[in-house]
Amino acid sequence: MSTIERAEVFVASPGRTFVTLRITTSDGVTGLGDATLNGRELAVASYLRDHLVPLLVGRDPARVEDIWQYLYRGAYWRRGPVTMTAISAVDTALWDIKGKTAGLPVYQLLGGRSRDGVLAYSHASGTDVPALLDDVQRYLDLGYRAVRAQAAVPDVGGTYGVRKGAIYEPAATALPEEQPWDTPSYLSFAPTYLEAVRDRFGFGFHLLHDVHHRLTPLEAAQFGKRVEDCRLFWMEDPTPAENQEAFRLIRQHTTTPIAVGEALTSVWDVQHLITEQLVDYVRTTVVHAGGITHLRRIFDLAALYQVRTGSHGATDLSPVSLAANVHLDLAVPNFGIQEYMGHAPETAEVFHGGVTFADGMLHPAEEPGLGVEYDERAAERFPYQARYLPVARRLDGSVHDW
Ligand code: CS2
Ligand code: MG
């Protein structure tokens, strides 16, 4: 019987920081897992190195479910982003190994193809409306059939989601940047630029928008109602989701579809949202919601309530978890859409292989496993750089949700 011989944790910053777990079996088969938690990455690296790796060596790598249960129930202190991201990385690496051992791409182990490709959306943004419209045009020209639109709010300074360089990366400073936020200005301005996008480009593609946890339930209801004629594919994270019941008020006032979940890490964190049909898309991902093993449970629960998937896919999710998500996206019956922002060129120097994009769709690699390899020699050229996500403050100086 093959056993887990070693598990290594790599922390490097090729274009941005990624934490990567590599498990190697006694047969020499390797599997990769993404353990990146933007702004708190060393906590996960330590959870893996100091607490999980000693428990993995010597185990049977084929026992994916048993190891998941062992790590989840055995922690006693359950759930939360650090614990679940660490478990996600182990789980993803074991699925990679299982695919390689079976000689099959992971999607074949998940029931095979349910669709020809995985619909993707990417991020258009601008410091003003003309710049946003140019960026939407760019993504449509690249073949995207779904585009997210975000623009800076005039006279309020830093706004969520506006790209500064080639790749949108919010964790950009050695200490948290404090960005101003003003809800009334956003509520007045954001609907106008979403309308401007529809006025310019029509309704022949999916338009998405990320509110990024910034509104109260009533403000979110106002916003959703105001943009109904824009026919958004979804408004994302309209209000913080700790109180899942808060979404009922939004639901009562608007038919704009709602997507929630990128910051949620277990089925219990989205259970009420799904079973009460308070959302239309669940955004949980392989890297933060317990790996393929747990994410497929979330997606199966969602399918019972006609909630579709819409997994997170920002630059802080590595090519490993993006690949794993696309394998799962290809197979699940209630797939909705997959976020895909691409990565910096330096990232591709370290992570070889993964998903391909063509004609608005993503495709996993066909080779056994997940189809990604990690080049640790190349990673040595990109030593870890601590970076923080911004903090938002209202104009009166009080902290707001970033
Ligand atoms: C955003 C993310 O992609 C999204 O929908 O919410 O970019 C998010 O801000 C980052 O992943 C945080 O690290
Ligand atoms: Mg988001």
Side-chain angles (χ1 to χ4, degrees), residues 49-393:
R49 282 189 183 122
D50 299 326
H51 300 297
L52 295 198
V53 168
L55 307 182
L56 293 173
V57 175
R59 287 189 180 279
D60 176 358
R63 299 184 62 172
V64 181
E65 182 69 53
D66 179 63
I67 289 174
W68 196 98
Q69 297 298 330
Y70 176 77
L71 296 181
Y72 180 79
R73 298 166 190 266
Y76 186 73
W77 312 105
R78 298 180 179 188
R79 297 162 66 185
V82 174
T83 298
M84 295 307 284
T85 301
I87 292 174
S88 299
V90 174
D91 184 77
T92 305
L94 294 177
W95 275 101
D96 194 12
I97 289 168
K98 192 172 278 291
K100 289 178 177 177
T101 305
L104 292 169
V106 167
Y107 75 83
Q108 293 289 15
L109 305 179
L110 301 172
R113 286 179 180 280
S114 296
R115 55 193 53 79
D116 297 331
V118 167
L119 176 67
Y121 78 89
S122 199
H123 291 196
S125 67
T127 51
D128 57 26
V129 177
L132 169 62
L133 296 178
D134 289 346
D135 215 31
V136 171
Q137 182 67 67
R138 186 167 76 90
Y139 281 99
L140 295 176
D141 292 345
L142 287 170
Y144 281 89
R145 306 175 191 176
V147 181
R148 191 187 87 167
Q150 312 285 144
V153 177
D155 309 323
V156 179
T159 300
Y160 163 70
V162 179
R163 193 175 62 245
K164 293 188 177 114
I167 296 279
Y168 171 62
E169 176 47 72
T173 50
L175 288 175
E177 178 194 356
E178 302 212 339
Q179 294 181 351
W181 172 258
D182 179 52
T183 296
S185 304
Y186 166 82
L187 285 175
S188 301
F189 180 61
T192 65
Y193 68 72
L194 295 170
E195 287 160 353
V197 173
R198 284 307 195 197
D199 291 347
R200 165 76 72 84
F201 300 105
F203 292 84
F205 70 102
H206 298 304
L207 179 59
L208 302 88
H209 180 68
D210 192 347
V211 182
H212 217 259
H213 323 277
R214 302 293 169 94
L215 302 178
T216 65
L218 188 66
E219 291 164 347
Q222 292 168 344
F223 177 82
K225 196 171 181 64
R226 172 73 170 70
V227 299
E228 281 179 359
D229 290 345
C230 296
R231 283 187 263 158
L232 295 185
F233 186 87
W234 74 37
M235 64 174 169
E236 178 182 337
D237 287 327
T239 195
E242 286 93 330
N243 174 16
Q244 297 180 44
E245 181 58 25
F247 289 79
R248 192 176 306 282
L249 187 149
I250 304 170
R251 263 309 203 227
Q252 286 163 351
H253 292 276
T254 179
T255 57
T256 294
I258 299 172
V260 177
E262 68 178 51
L264 303 177
T265 61
S266 81
V267 67
W268 294 278
D269 300 332
V270 294
Q271 181 180 2
H272 192 64
L273 292 170
I274 290 172
T275 59
E276 296 289 311
Q277 294 180 311
L278 299 178
V279 298
D280 302 283
Y281 299 90
V282 59
R283 289 209 9 99
T284 40
T285 78
V286 164
V287 57
H288 298 131
I292 290 173
T293 297
H294 194 64
L295 187 60
R296 67 195 305 214
R297 295 205 153 95
I298 293 173
F299 287 174
D300 285 346
L301 174 67
L304 298 181
Y305 294 89
Q306 300 185 67
V307 173
R308 285 176 282 179
T309 74
S311 287
H312 191 202
T315 49
D316 46 292
L317 282 62
S318 92
V320 175
S321 55
L322 180 63
N325 234 114
V326 169
H327 279 279
L328 187 54
D329 292 338
L330 200 62
V332 295
N334 56 322
F335 169 74
I337 200 166
Q338 172 64 50
E339 181 176 6
Y340 176 56
M341 288 174 61
H343 289 99
E346 298 88 340
T347 303
E349 292 184 45
V350 174
F351 295 89
H352 302 155
V355 303
T356 53
F357 175 81
D359 189 27
M361 311 280 263
L362 292 169
H363 304 274
E366 283 295 337
E367 65 227 51
L370 296 175
V372 185
E373 293 303 329
Y374 186 84
D375 183 338
E376 66 198 88
R377 292 284 162 269
E380 289 167 3
R381 298 201 304 273
F382 304 100
Y384 171 61
Q385 291 182 314
R387 290 288 180 271
Y388 281 88
L389 285 167
V391 169
R393 285 190 182 273

